[in-house]
């Protein structure tokens, strides 16, 4: 019975660890995706991405 309880505790710890990792990584991925979206829009409209801003684009996104 102790082995079953130990496996259950290990499973709970694994689930908690996965949830913590997902909570930390999700904002990082969202930030990277948003930055890529802005850069892509800028370049599509003929601009250049410099210093976190679009320079010379014909249209704003």
């Amino acid at each position: 019975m102790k082995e079953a309880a130990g496996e259950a505790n290990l499973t709970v710890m694994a689930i908690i660890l996965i949830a913590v990792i997902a909570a930390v990584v999700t904002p990082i991925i969202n930030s990277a995706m948003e930055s890529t979206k802005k850069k892509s829009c800028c370049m599509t409209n003929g601009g250049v991405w410099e210093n976190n801003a679009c320079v010379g684009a014909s249209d704003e996104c």
Side-chain angles (χ1 to χ4, degrees):
M1 193 66 178
K2 284 184 179 182
E3 290 179 23
E7 287 184 25
N9 287 337
L10 186 59
T11 301
V12 170
M13 290 300 291
I15 291 170
I16 291 171
L17 184 61
I18 290 168
V20 168
I21 291 171
V24 169
V25 171
T26 300
I28 295 169
I29 292 173
N30 284 341
S31 175
M33 293 293 287
E34 187 64 30
S35 176
T36 302
K37 177 182 170 185
K38 289 178 183 177
K39 289 176 186 178
S40 174
C41 181
C42 177
M43 291 180 184
T44 299
N45 290 323
V48 178
W49 190 258
E50 292 180 353
N51 299 324
N52 291 330
C54 187
V55 179
S58 62
D59 190 20
E60 287 293 321
C61 298

